[in-house]
Amino acid sequence: ETGVTQSPTHLIKTRGQQVTLRCSSQSGHNTVSWYQQALGQGPQFIFQYYREEENGRGNFPPRFSGLQFPNYSSELNVNALELDDSALYLCASGLAGAAVNHEQYFGPGTRLTVT
Amino acid sequence: QKEVEQDPGPLSVPEGAIVSLNCTYSNSAFQYFMWYRQYSRKGPELLMYTYSSGNKEDGRFTAQVDKSSKYISLFIRDSQPSDSATYLCAIQRGSSYKLIFGSGTRLLVRP
């Protein structure tokens, strides 16, 4: 177990709705990244947060947004859901500092189905 | 051209076999190389993490990086049915935490 938890485990939404996914980072970690994994594909980087600020974004539209809280928990918000947003959403936590640590540890994911 | 290419498999081997999993990447700027294992309906689990060319060993697992060929490999010795999973390679630039994943190779180890 990595110590990274995500909620909910799975959910079903209707096209056009909004969704919020949650992640609790491993204790002591200060970065959180979100990834989208479509069926049969590798995870795709959405964005990363470090010290509560977005620190890099992948090729995802602005309707994908996030937050990182002082306790290093995080949220991923997706507005105006589309059918193609159906995927496994993963968060990964890591520790950044002067000696950069590139090890990232993933949670179990939230499976989102958009109908 | 994708930044990371990985054969999707599936790769089926008998128990005890040596497994070789491979990825190629396109940009020599990538400096960090990881292998993740993902069981069905689970999140990826970090197996190996390497920085330089050469080999890194951890138990039955050996990660190999050849930067001149832009080729990375994971070898599994004495494979077990519990090794059956999807194996994802991931690469990373030095200044970014963004992981770029291959599409994953599905491995089945037959008892």
Side-chain angles (χ1 to χ4, degrees), chain A residues 79-90:
Chain A
N79 294 323
L81 284 166
E82 301 177 358
L83 297 178
D84 284 349
D85 295 333
S86 296
L88 181 68
Y89 288 84
L90 297 159

mmCIF file with all atom_site columns, all heavy atoms in Angstrom, chain A residues 79-90:
data_model
loop_
_atom_site.group_PDB
_atom_site.id
_atom_site.type_symbol
_atom_site.label_atom_id
_atom_site.label_alt_id
_atom_site.label_comp_id
_atom_site.label_asym_id
_atom_site.label_entity_id
_atom_site.label_seq_id
_atom_site.pdbx_PDB_ins_code
_atom_site.Cartn_x
_atom_site.Cartn_y
_atom_site.Cartn_z
_atom_site.occupancy
_atom_site.B_iso_or_equiv
_atom_site.pdbx_formal_charge
_atom_site.auth_seq_id
_atom_site.auth_comp_id
_atom_site.auth_asym_id
_atom_site.auth_atom_id
_atom_site.pdbx_PDB_model_num
ATOM 1  N N   . ASN A 1 79 ? -15.600 20.011 -15.265 1.00 0.00 ? 79 ASN A N   1
ATOM 2  C CA  . ASN A 1 79 ? -16.883 20.616 -15.629 1.00 0.00 ? 79 ASN A CA  1
ATOM 3  C C   . ASN A 1 79 ? -17.330 20.126 -16.995 1.00 0.00 ? 79 ASN A C   1
ATOM 4  O O   . ASN A 1 79 ? -16.520 19.657 -17.802 1.00 0.00 ? 79 ASN A O   1
ATOM 5  C CB  . ASN A 1 79 ? -16.739 22.142 -15.657 1.00 0.00 ? 79 ASN A CB  1
ATOM 6  C CG  . ASN A 1 79 ? -16.465 22.723 -14.287 1.00 0.00 ? 79 ASN A CG  1
ATOM 7  O OD1 . ASN A 1 79 ? -17.004 22.252 -13.287 1.00 0.00 ? 79 ASN A OD1 1
ATOM 8  N ND2 . ASN A 1 79 ? -15.602 23.723 -14.230 1.00 0.00 ? 79 ASN A ND2 1
ATOM 9  N N   . ALA A 1 80 ? -18.626 20.310 -17.248 1.00 0.00 ? 80 ALA A N   1
ATOM 10 C CA  . ALA A 1 80 ? -19.187 20.011 -18.582 1.00 0.00 ? 80 ALA A CA  1
ATOM 11 C C   . ALA A 1 80 ? -18.700 18.661 -19.093 1.00 0.00 ? 80 ALA A C   1
ATOM 12 O O   . ALA A 1 80 ? -18.067 18.561 -20.149 1.00 0.00 ? 80 ALA A O   1
ATOM 13 C CB  . ALA A 1 80 ? -18.829 21.130 -19.553 1.00 0.00 ? 80 ALA A CB  1
ATOM 14 N N   . LEU A 1 81 ? -18.975 17.620 -18.329 1.00 0.00 ? 81 LEU A N   1
ATOM 15 C CA  . LEU A 1 81 ? -18.470 16.288 -18.649 1.00 0.00 ? 81 LEU A CA  1
ATOM 16 C C   . LEU A 1 81 ? -18.849 15.857 -20.061 1.00 0.00 ? 81 LEU A C   1
ATOM 17 O O   . LEU A 1 81 ? -19.974 16.097 -20.533 1.00 0.00 ? 81 LEU A O   1
ATOM 18 C CB  . LEU A 1 81 ? -18.992 15.281 -17.639 1.00 0.00 ? 81 LEU A CB  1
ATOM 19 C CG  . LEU A 1 81 ? -18.305 15.304 -16.275 1.00 0.00 ? 81 LEU A CG  1
ATOM 20 C CD1 . LEU A 1 81 ? -19.120 14.503 -15.262 1.00 0.00 ? 81 LEU A CD1 1
ATOM 21 C CD2 . LEU A 1 81 ? -16.878 14.771 -16.381 1.00 0.00 ? 81 LEU A CD2 1
ATOM 22 N N   . GLU A 1 82 ? -17.885 15.207 -20.719 1.00 0.00 ? 82 GLU A N   1
ATOM 23 C CA  . GLU A 1 82 ? -18.096 14.635 -22.048 1.00 0.00 ? 82 GLU A CA  1
ATOM 24 C C   . GLU A 1 82 ? -17.929 13.124 -21.954 1.00 0.00 ? 82 GLU A C   1
ATOM 25 O O   . GLU A 1 82 ? -17.307 12.606 -21.021 1.00 0.00 ? 82 GLU A O   1
ATOM 26 C CB  . GLU A 1 82 ? -17.082 15.222 -23.033 1.00 0.00 ? 82 GLU A CB  1
ATOM 27 C CG  . GLU A 1 82 ? -17.158 16.731 -23.157 1.00 0.00 ? 82 GLU A CG  1
ATOM 28 C CD  . GLU A 1 82 ? -16.107 17.318 -24.071 1.00 0.00 ? 82 GLU A CD  1
ATOM 29 O OE1 . GLU A 1 82 ? -15.268 16.535 -24.603 1.00 0.00 ? 82 GLU A OE1 1
ATOM 30 O OE2 . GLU A 1 82 ? -16.096 18.543 -24.264 1.00 0.00 ? 82 GLU A OE2 1
ATOM 31 N N   . LEU A 1 83 ? -18.477 12.419 -22.940 1.00 0.00 ? 83 LEU A N   1
ATOM 32 C CA  . LEU A 1 83 ? -18.399 10.962 -22.923 1.00 0.00 ? 83 LEU A CA  1
ATOM 33 C C   . LEU A 1 83 ? -16.945 10.489 -22.873 1.00 0.00 ? 83 LEU A C   1
ATOM 34 O O   . LEU A 1 83 ? -16.632 9.492  -22.199 1.00 0.00 ? 83 LEU A O   1
ATOM 35 C CB  . LEU A 1 83 ? -19.097 10.385 -24.156 1.00 0.00 ? 83 LEU A CB  1
ATOM 36 C CG  . LEU A 1 83 ? -20.597 10.652 -24.265 1.00 0.00 ? 83 LEU A CG  1
ATOM 37 C CD1 . LEU A 1 83 ? -21.150 10.051 -25.563 1.00 0.00 ? 83 LEU A CD1 1
ATOM 38 C CD2 . LEU A 1 83 ? -21.352 10.092 -23.065 1.00 0.00 ? 83 LEU A CD2 1
ATOM 39 N N   . ASP A 1 84 ? -16.064 11.202 -23.559 1.00 0.00 ? 84 ASP A N   1
ATOM 40 C CA  . ASP A 1 84 ? -14.640 10.821 -23.609 1.00 0.00 ? 84 ASP A CA  1
ATOM 41 C C   . ASP A 1 84 ? -13.919 11.017 -22.273 1.00 0.00 ? 84 ASP A C   1
ATOM 42 O O   . ASP A 1 84 ? -12.759 10.610 -22.137 1.00 0.00 ? 84 ASP A O   1
ATOM 43 C CB  . ASP A 1 84 ? -13.900 11.625 -24.681 1.00 0.00 ? 84 ASP A CB  1
ATOM 44 C CG  . ASP A 1 84 ? -14.214 11.122 -26.078 1.00 0.00 ? 84 ASP A CG  1
ATOM 45 O OD1 . ASP A 1 84 ? -14.829 10.029 -26.173 1.00 0.00 ? 84 ASP A OD1 1
ATOM 46 O OD2 . ASP A 1 84 ? -13.870 11.799 -27.057 1.00 0.00 ? 84 ASP A OD2 1
ATOM 47 N N   . ASP A 1 85 ? -14.590 11.646 -21.319 1.00 0.00 ? 85 ASP A N   1
ATOM 48 C CA  . ASP A 1 85 ? -13.973 11.800 -19.994 1.00 0.00 ? 85 ASP A CA  1
ATOM 49 C C   . ASP A 1 85 ? -14.068 10.511 -19.184 1.00 0.00 ? 85 ASP A C   1
ATOM 50 O O   . ASP A 1 85 ? -13.476 10.416 -18.102 1.00 0.00 ? 85 ASP A O   1
ATOM 51 C CB  . ASP A 1 85 ? -14.641 12.931 -19.217 1.00 0.00 ? 85 ASP A CB  1
ATOM 52 C CG  . ASP A 1 85 ? -14.437 14.294 -19.862 1.00 0.00 ? 85 ASP A CG  1
ATOM 53 O OD1 . ASP A 1 85 ? -13.416 14.465 -20.570 1.00 0.00 ? 85 ASP A OD1 1
ATOM 54 O OD2 . ASP A 1 85 ? -15.298 15.172 -19.683 1.00 0.00 ? 85 ASP A OD2 1
ATOM 55 N N   . SER A 1 86 ? -14.781 9.534  -19.684 1.00 0.00 ? 86 SER A N   1
ATOM 56 C CA  . SER A 1 86 ? -14.871 8.250  -18.999 1.00 0.00 ? 86 SER A CA  1
ATOM 57 C C   . SER A 1 86 ? -13.490 7.609  -18.953 1.00 0.00 ? 86 SER A C   1
ATOM 58 O O   . SER A 1 86 ? -12.862 7.369  -19.993 1.00 0.00 ? 86 SER A O   1
ATOM 59 C CB  . SER A 1 86 ? -15.838 7.320  -19.744 1.00 0.00 ? 86 SER A CB  1
ATOM 60 O OG  . SER A 1 86 ? -17.143 7.841  -19.718 1.00 0.00 ? 86 SER A OG  1
ATOM 61 N N   . ALA A 1 87 ? -13.001 7.354  -17.747 1.00 0.00 ? 87 ALA A N   1
ATOM 62 C CA  . ALA A 1 87 ? -11.629 6.855  -17.579 1.00 0.00 ? 87 ALA A CA  1
ATOM 63 C C   . ALA A 1 87 ? -11.385 6.564  -16.113 1.00 0.00 ? 87 ALA A C   1
ATOM 64 O O   . ALA A 1 87 ? -12.227 6.849  -15.255 1.00 0.00 ? 87 ALA A O   1
ATOM 65 C CB  . ALA A 1 87 ? -10.616 7.887  -18.083 1.00 0.00 ? 87 ALA A CB  1
ATOM 66 N N   . LEU A 1 88 ? -10.203 6.035  -15.833 1.00 0.00 ? 88 LEU A N   1
ATOM 67 C CA  . LEU A 1 88 ? -9.707  5.894  -14.468 1.00 0.00 ? 88 LEU A CA  1
ATOM 68 C C   . LEU A 1 88 ? -8.873  7.128  -14.161 1.00 0.00 ? 88 LEU A C   1
ATOM 69 O O   . LEU A 1 88 ? -7.944  7.459  -14.909 1.00 0.00 ? 88 LEU A O   1
ATOM 70 C CB  . LEU A 1 88 ? -8.858  4.630  -14.348 1.00 0.00 ? 88 LEU A CB  1
ATOM 71 C CG  . LEU A 1 88 ? -8.273  4.318  -12.958 1.00 0.00 ? 88 LEU A CG  1
ATOM 72 C CD1 . LEU A 1 88 ? -9.394  3.953  -11.978 1.00 0.00 ? 88 LEU A CD1 1
ATOM 73 C CD2 . LEU A 1 88 ? -7.252  3.178  -13.054 1.00 0.00 ? 88 LEU A CD2 1
ATOM 74 N N   . TYR A 1 89 ? -9.211  7.834  -13.090 1.00 0.00 ? 89 TYR A N   1
ATOM 75 C CA  . TYR A 1 89 ? -8.466  9.022  -12.704 1.00 0.00 ? 89 TYR A CA  1
ATOM 76 C C   . TYR A 1 89 ? -7.576  8.675  -11.512 1.00 0.00 ? 89 TYR A C   1
ATOM 77 O O   . TYR A 1 89 ? -8.053  8.215  -10.474 1.00 0.00 ? 89 TYR A O   1
ATOM 78 C CB  . TYR A 1 89 ? -9.417  10.177 -12.381 1.00 0.00 ? 89 TYR A CB  1
ATOM 79 C CG  . TYR A 1 89 ? -10.044 10.720 -13.644 1.00 0.00 ? 89 TYR A CG  1
ATOM 80 C CD1 . TYR A 1 89 ? -11.172 10.120 -14.185 1.00 0.00 ? 89 TYR A CD1 1
ATOM 81 C CD2 . TYR A 1 89 ? -9.461  11.772 -14.323 1.00 0.00 ? 89 TYR A CD2 1
ATOM 82 C CE1 . TYR A 1 89 ? -11.718 10.587 -15.378 1.00 0.00 ? 89 TYR A CE1 1
ATOM 83 C CE2 . TYR A 1 89 ? -9.996  12.254 -15.507 1.00 0.00 ? 89 TYR A CE2 1
ATOM 84 C CZ  . TYR A 1 89 ? -11.122 11.642 -16.030 1.00 0.00 ? 89 TYR A CZ  1
ATOM 85 O OH  . TYR A 1 89 ? -11.645 12.105 -17.213 1.00 0.00 ? 89 TYR A OH  1
ATOM 86 N N   . LEU A 1 90 ? -6.307  8.934  -11.695 1.00 0.00 ? 90 LEU A N   1
ATOM 87 C CA  . LEU A 1 90 ? -5.299  8.557  -10.712 1.00 0.00 ? 90 LEU A CA  1
ATOM 88 C C   . LEU A 1 90 ? -4.637  9.788  -10.145 1.00 0.00 ? 90 LEU A C   1
ATOM 89 O O   . LEU A 1 90 ? -4.335  10.737 -10.871 1.00 0.00 ? 90 LEU A O   1
ATOM 90 C CB  . LEU A 1 90 ? -4.221  7.692  -11.382 1.00 0.00 ? 90 LEU A CB  1
ATOM 91 C CG  . LEU A 1 90 ? -4.671  6.359  -11.963 1.00 0.00 ? 90 LEU A CG  1
ATOM 92 C CD1 . LEU A 1 90 ? -3.689  5.863  -13.012 1.00 0.00 ? 90 LEU A CD1 1
ATOM 93 C CD2 . LEU A 1 90 ? -4.815  5.323  -10.855 1.00 0.00 ? 90 LEU A CD2 1
#
